[in-house]
Structure formats: structure tokens, C-alpha cells
């Protein structure tokens, strides 16, 4: 994938370490190329294209039949019911294969994936990474995940239950805005670092660092 260099990783890791100096909270950062393959979206589009081709043939069959007659020698003939059915099915299969092939190209597949679908998949993937990498893995259940999905151009902030009970979801809006402002300019590491610093400030207010606090989760950025 190669979105970030080692120096970029250091920027994010250092931001996490610095943010955790004043809080018992633990911050985990994850950078993903994509949150889903969207094979179901490809299937839906391919099926839609297939039915569209068959419907078009059913409505205006003559141009298709004339084209076929010209391809096989230029002689016209009376089409039988079986030949019409074969032509319909063949057009549907050809359109399905063409749609599947076209949507195998990442830029087109992501462009044709509805925005709500992408948002839902990114959120679901962020929750999955949180459950694996941060949820209930700290002594006080004070883990927060910053998740960035590059292909979908979306980010999520997920917090452990004790944090969610004290910090409303809208409070994370500033961290999200600061993070995305940098990322939109192509500064991915700086954007993640900005988000981490904002999250650290929020955690410091509600979960200040104790004298015996220990670093329970790695500070390093995880790329998946």
C-alpha cells in the first residue's frame, strides 16, 4: 500500500506518545487502504446492466437482429422463438460480464458505490478493528481508535464505553475536522497527528493520567 514513510509513522507514533502523557486513555491509530471490497455492489451493477440490455432488446429488437444478420453474412431470415430467447440470454450474459469486468477497476467501483454504503462499511470496519485492537484491553477501558480509510475518504473515532458515557460523539467533531483538513491537503501523517492531539486533550479532561499509569497499548500506527 505504501501511503506513509517511516518518518510519517514516527510523526504519528510521537503524537500518540505525547498525547498519552497527560491521560490514562490509550489511543490507537489505524490507516486502511479500503474498508471493503464491495463485491456485492459489483454484482448489483452487473445484474442491473444485464437486465437493462435484455429489456432494451425486448423493447427494440430489430436493430439487434439486423446487426446479427449482418455479422453472419448479411442475409435476413425469420427469427424463431428459440433464437430470440438465445439472443436475449446472450445479451444479458455479455452485459453482465462486461459490467463485472468494468467494475473490477477500482476507481470506477468506488465511484459507483453509493456514499451511504461506503460510510456504513467504514464504520463497521472501524468497529471491528476497535474490538480487536482496543476494546476492553486497558485497565480502565479507556481506549480510543482513530481509523482512516483512504479509498472511501472517510474516518471514524471509536471509544470504549466508559469514555462514550462521558464524552458525547459530537465532541470528537473538532478532532475529526482538524484531521481531515490536513489529510485533504495530502498530509496524512500530520492529519492523524492532529486528530490524536485533539483526542488527547479531550481524554485529559475526563481521564487524567494517574501516577502509576502504564502504557498498555502500542503507540505505533497500524497500516492494514
Amino acid at each position: 500500500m505504501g501511503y506513509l514513510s517511516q518518518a510519517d509513522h514516527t510523526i504519528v507514533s510521537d503524537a500518540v506518545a505525547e498525547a498519552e502523557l497527560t491521560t490514562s486513555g490509550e489511543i490507537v491509530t489505524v490507516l486502511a487502504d479500503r474498508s471493503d471490497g464491495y463485491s456485492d455492489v459489483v454484482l448489483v451493477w452487473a445484474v442491473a446492466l444485464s437486465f437493462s440490455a435484455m429489456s432494451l432488446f425486448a423493447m427494440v429488437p430489430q436493430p439487434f437482429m439486423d446487426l446479427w444478420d449482418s455479422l453472419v453474412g448479411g442475409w435476413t431470415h425469420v427469427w424463431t422463438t428459440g433464437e430470440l430467447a438465445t439472443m436475449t440470454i446472450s445479451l444479458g450474459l455479455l452485459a453482465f460480464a462486461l459490467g463485472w469486468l468494468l467494475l473490477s477497476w477500482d476507481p470506477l467501483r468506488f465511484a459507483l458505490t453509493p456514499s451511504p454504503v461506503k460510510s456504513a462499511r467504514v464504520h463497521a470496519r472501524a468497529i471491528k478493528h476497535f474490538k480487536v485492537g482496543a476494546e476492553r484491553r486497558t485497565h480502565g477501558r479507556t481506549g480510543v481508535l482513530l481509523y482512516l480509510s483512504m479509498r472511501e475518504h472517510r474516518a471514524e473515532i471509536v471509544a470504549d464505553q466508559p469514555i462514550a458515557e462521558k464524552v458525547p460523539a459530537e465532541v470528537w467533531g473538532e478532532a475529526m475536522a482538524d484531521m481531515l483538513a490536513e489529510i485533504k491537503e495530502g498530509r496524512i501523517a500530520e492529519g492523524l497527528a492532529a486528530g490524536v492531539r485533539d483526542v488527547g486533550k479531550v481524554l485529559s479532561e475526563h481521564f487524567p493520567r494517574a501516577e502509576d499509569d502504564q502504557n498498555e497499548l502500542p503507540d505505533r500506527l497500524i497500516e492494514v
Side-chain angles (χ1 to χ4, degrees), residues 17-62:
E18 183 180 351
E20 291 179 353
L21 291 176
T22 57
T23 177
S24 60
E26 294 286 338
I27 303 172
V28 178
T29 53
V30 176
L31 173 65
D33 174 55
R34 66 191 70 195
S35 293
D36 194 74
Y38 302 100
S39 57
D40 55 334
V41 175
V42 174
L43 178 61
V44 169
W45 276 108
V47 169
L49 189 60
S50 175
F51 274 98
S52 296
M54 290 189 291
S55 299
L56 182 62
F57 177 69
M59 289 188 293
V60 284
Q62 197 60 49

Side-chain angles (χ1 to χ4, degrees), residues 84-131:
L84 289 172
T86 301
M87 175 64 79
T88 303
I89 295 171
S90 298
L91 283 173
L93 291 174
L94 180 62
F96 181 90
L98 180 61
W100 190 277
L101 181 63
L102 288 174
L103 286 161
S104 295
W105 186 45
D106 280 349
L108 183 60
R109 179 165 72 253
F110 280 91
L112 293 180
T113 300
S115 181
V117 174
K118 287 190 281 192
S119 296
R121 300 290 168 85
V122 170
H123 179 72
R125 184 65 63 170
I127 294 295
K128 182 176 181 179
H129 280 293
F130 177 71
K131 289 181 178 296

Side-chain angles (χ1 to χ4, degrees), residues 20-25 139 207-216:
E20 291 179 353
L21 291 176
T22 57
T23 177
S24 60
H139 178 70
F207 299 91
R209 185 181 179 92
E211 291 293 334
D212 59 345
D213 185 78
Q214 295 182 352
N215 191 15
E216 298 176 272

Side-chain angles (χ1 to χ4, degrees), residues 101-194:
L101 181 63
L102 288 174
L103 286 161
S104 295
W105 186 45
D106 280 349
L108 183 60
R109 179 165 72 253
F110 280 91
L112 293 180
T113 300
S115 181
V117 174
K118 287 190 281 192
S119 296
R121 300 290 168 85
V122 170
H123 179 72
R125 184 65 63 170
I127 294 295
K128 182 176 181 179
H129 280 293
F130 177 71
K131 289 181 178 296
V132 172
E135 187 179 37
R136 300 183 181 182
R137 294 190 62 188
T138 61
H139 178 70
R141 293 178 60 188
T142 54
V144 176
L145 172 74
L146 275 74
Y147 177 78
L148 179 62
S149 193
M150 297 300 295
R151 294 277 186 172
E152 290 87 352
H153 296 171
R154 281 162 174 76
E156 291 277 340
I157 297 178
V158 186
D160 247 322
Q161 185 176 352
I163 297 176
E165 290 173 350
K166 291 187 177 183
V167 182
E170 55 269 21
V171 172
W172 304 120
E174 182 178 348
M176 190 72 73
D178 290 343
M179 178 167 61
L180 295 181
E182 294 282 352
I183 291 170
K184 288 177 181 178
E185 298 298 324
R187 297 185 290 269
I188 300 172
E190 290 79 0
L192 285 167

